[in-house]
Amino acid sequence: MKFIVFFLGISTFCFSQKFSFIYETKYKLDIENPDDINSKKMILDLKNNISIFRDSLDKKNDSIKFNNGNGRYNMGVENKFYVKKNLAQKRIEKVITYLGTDYLLPIEENLNWKITSEQKMIGKYKSQKAETNYGGRNWIGWFTTELPFTDGPYIFNGLPGLIVSIQDSNNEYSFNLVEVKKGGNIFDVRTKTVKIDWKKYESLAKSYFNDPFDINSKGWKNATFTDPKGNTVNISIKNKEMQNIILQENNPIELNHKINY
């Protein structure tokens, strides 16, 4: 009985504390160039069953905004990894910041995990294998009960311990835990949001593709910029360059919501 009370005390203490789990995230946006791999450090901040997953630059910019500054956010709509979770309410939402507006996209696809008996050490954690499907991909994950949190990177959650590693079967996306930090504050500056669905998400993405620098809404019939060599170049050239990048980076994590431009 003393052991049970002690364990419950430890569990309550753990869940009331704030933790940051840092993941090394790798992904291939251009399927035609498999050697072109993006690598970023992404952070899962967790406290009291509320979590935010974002890349380190997004967290830095959120921090600046939290302290009444002006954070700078990446352009575009696709390939955003910003996710909020309320584990107690089983609510998962992606946040897409576009043209100064924070859009909230609920994730309603269920994660039906198949937990296997296979185990191995990942870093210093004894981990167990689990598999699921999400976004038109098959995912292989590893969780550890040594970190008693039912959360994980990106939208992934719902296992009997923290997900320390997960990747899709095509090895195009992977998240691997590299560091655990205790303490600090969890802050959310993207609270005034506009709720959207996947259809609206596609509409926003196509609007960005058609007008990457938001020239039309400003009423500018023509615009120029100065390149690194000091030459004046019409914005239409820059638009075309950006559109080519969007077309090349069209291997989204949610393959079932891939946009055809």
Side-chain angles (χ1 to χ4, degrees):
M1 180 63 69
K2 289 182 179 179
F3 174 79
I4 294 174
V5 172
F6 174 77
F7 177 76
L8 289 175
I10 291 295
S11 297
T12 302
F13 175 78
C14 285
F15 282 104
S16 65
Q17 296 296 305
K18 185 265 182 181
F19 288 84
S20 291
F21 304 101
I22 294 88
Y23 290 84
E24 181 181 31
T25 304
K26 294 183 178 181
Y27 52 101
K28 304 173 183 178
L29 293 179
D30 185 355
I31 203 64
E32 299 298 326
N33 293 289
D35 294 331
D36 186 8
I37 302 173
N38 294 272
S39 180
K40 291 184 179 181
K41 291 291 176 61
M42 299 192 180
I43 303 168
L44 175 68
D45 289 318
L46 171 66
K47 183 179 181 181
N48 296 336
N49 285 318
I50 301 294
S51 69
I52 300 178
F53 182 78
R54 52 197 159 187
D55 73 39
S56 56
L57 182 60
D58 273 336
K59 183 175 181 179
K60 179 180 179 181
N61 286 317
D62 280 356
S63 179
I64 293 172
K65 187 175 181 180
F66 183 74
N67 290 289
N68 299 315
N70 293 315
R72 299 180 65 183
Y73 299 105
N74 292 330
M75 296 173 62
V77 175
E78 286 194 280
N79 306 314
K80 299 294 184 72
F81 292 88
Y82 200 111
V83 173
K84 296 182 184 182
K85 301 192 197 85
N86 185 319
L87 299 173
Q89 298 180 8
K90 297 183 179 179
R91 189 172 71 241
I92 308 168
E93 298 155 328
K94 286 188 66 164
V95 178
I96 296 100
T97 299
Y98 174 56
L99 297 181
T101 300
D102 295 324
Y103 295 94
L104 195 71
L105 176 62
I107 301 298
E108 298 174 341
E109 186 175 343
N110 292 324
L111 296 176
N112 297 311
W113 291 102
K114 177 184 176 183
I115 299 177
T116 75
S117 59
E118 187 175 347
Q119 298 183 359
K120 70 177 181 179
M121 294 296 296
I122 297 181
K124 63 180 180 180
Y125 300 109
K126 183 179 179 181
S127 305
Q128 189 168 348
K129 185 179 180 181
E131 300 178 12
T132 192
N133 296 315
Y134 171 73
R137 297 179 185 271
N138 301 317
W139 294 88
I140 301 168
W142 296 85
F143 68 93
T144 178
T145 56
E146 295 173 19
L147 294 169
F149 309 101
T150 61
D151 208 350
Y154 196 50
I155 60 88
F156 299 106
N157 72 101
L159 287 169
L162 185 78
I163 298 170
V164 296
S165 178
I166 188 166
Q167 68 177 41
D168 73 309
S169 56
N170 292 328
N171 196 28
E172 293 171 357
Y173 284 81
S174 67
F175 304 86
N176 291 287
L177 183 68
V178 294
E179 187 178 358
V180 178
K181 293 182 178 180
K182 180 181 172 183
N185 295 317
I186 182 170
F187 51 86
D188 182 8
V189 298
R190 307 190 193 191
T191 56
K192 297 180 180 179
T193 57
V194 176
K195 188 176 179 180
I196 60 172
D197 56 17
W198 285 106
K199 184 176 181 180
K200 179 61 177 179
Y201 170 84
E202 180 177 349
S203 176
L204 289 174
K206 288 184 176 180
S207 293
Y208 173 64
F209 178 81
N210 292 327
D211 188 15
F213 297 97
D214 193 31
I215 300 300
N216 294 334
S217 70
K218 294 181 173 64
W220 298 345
K221 295 183 178 180
N222 196 15
T224 59
F225 70 98
T226 304
D227 68 14
K229 296 182 179 180
N231 300 316
T232 300
V233 183
N234 192 281
I235 194 65
S236 62
I237 296 176
K238 198 67 176 177
N239 280 346
K240 191 63 177 179
E241 290 177 358
M242 187 61 69
Q243 287 174 339
N244 286 335
I245 291 174
I246 294 171
L247 292 173
Q248 291 169 2
E249 296 185 346
N250 199 14
N251 181 37
I253 191 168
E254 286 98 357
L255 271 178
N256 55 340
H257 293 291
K258 182 177 180 178
I259 299 171
N260 296 314
Y261 293 102

